[in-house]
Amino acid sequence: FLDVPPEVSWERRSGKYEQRLVHFPNDQHETVMQGYRYYLRKTYPLLKDIYNRIPLPKESVDGRLPEKVVMRAVSQALARLSVAFQ
């Protein structure tokens, strides 16, 4: 998720955030959505900084691929990463 800028993430996921609005009064929907968007923009650089500071090998998996392909790639990446802890 760190290679996806906040605005692209927002475009992809705003529908998911809208689904959560059922838990809030109607008059708060706009404020809540603004809060979600603010959170994405605020945390993105912080998460990237943490990610870059972690002294471990990095892996990237394209989460847009079919689930079986993603799960296989994640499993393989975790296996490679486990070597760093030996």
Side-chain angles (χ1 to χ4, degrees):
F1 62 90
L2 291 176
D3 60 345
V4 178
E7 291 308 315
V8 173
S9 180
W10 178 256
E11 290 300 319
R12 290 182 184 171
R13 298 190 43 80
S14 61
K16 293 287 187 186
Y17 292 118
E18 287 173 353
Q19 291 175 358
R20 298 177 189 174
L21 294 176
V22 299
H23 304 291
F24 299 92
N26 288 340
D27 64 343
Q28 293 182 10
H29 286 189
E30 186 175 336
T31 303
V32 171
M33 289 296 282
Q34 288 172 350
Y36 287 142
R37 196 169 195 167
Y38 173 80
Y39 176 81
L40 282 175
R41 285 194 307 259
K42 186 74 170 175
T43 58
Y44 179 76
L46 301 173
L47 291 172
K48 281 195 75 151
D49 182 57
I50 291 168
Y51 175 82
N52 289 324
R53 288 178 186 221
I54 295 173
L56 294 171
K58 308 300 192 281
E59 294 278 347
S60 179
V61 174
D62 187 346
R64 297 170 296 178
L65 298 174
E67 184 177 356
K68 281 186 173 183
V69 175
V70 171
M71 295 307 291
R72 185 174 345 127
V74 168
S75 297
Q76 292 169 345
L78 289 172
R80 288 188 295 273
L81 179 62
S82 69
V83 173
F85 292 101
Q86 294 178 352

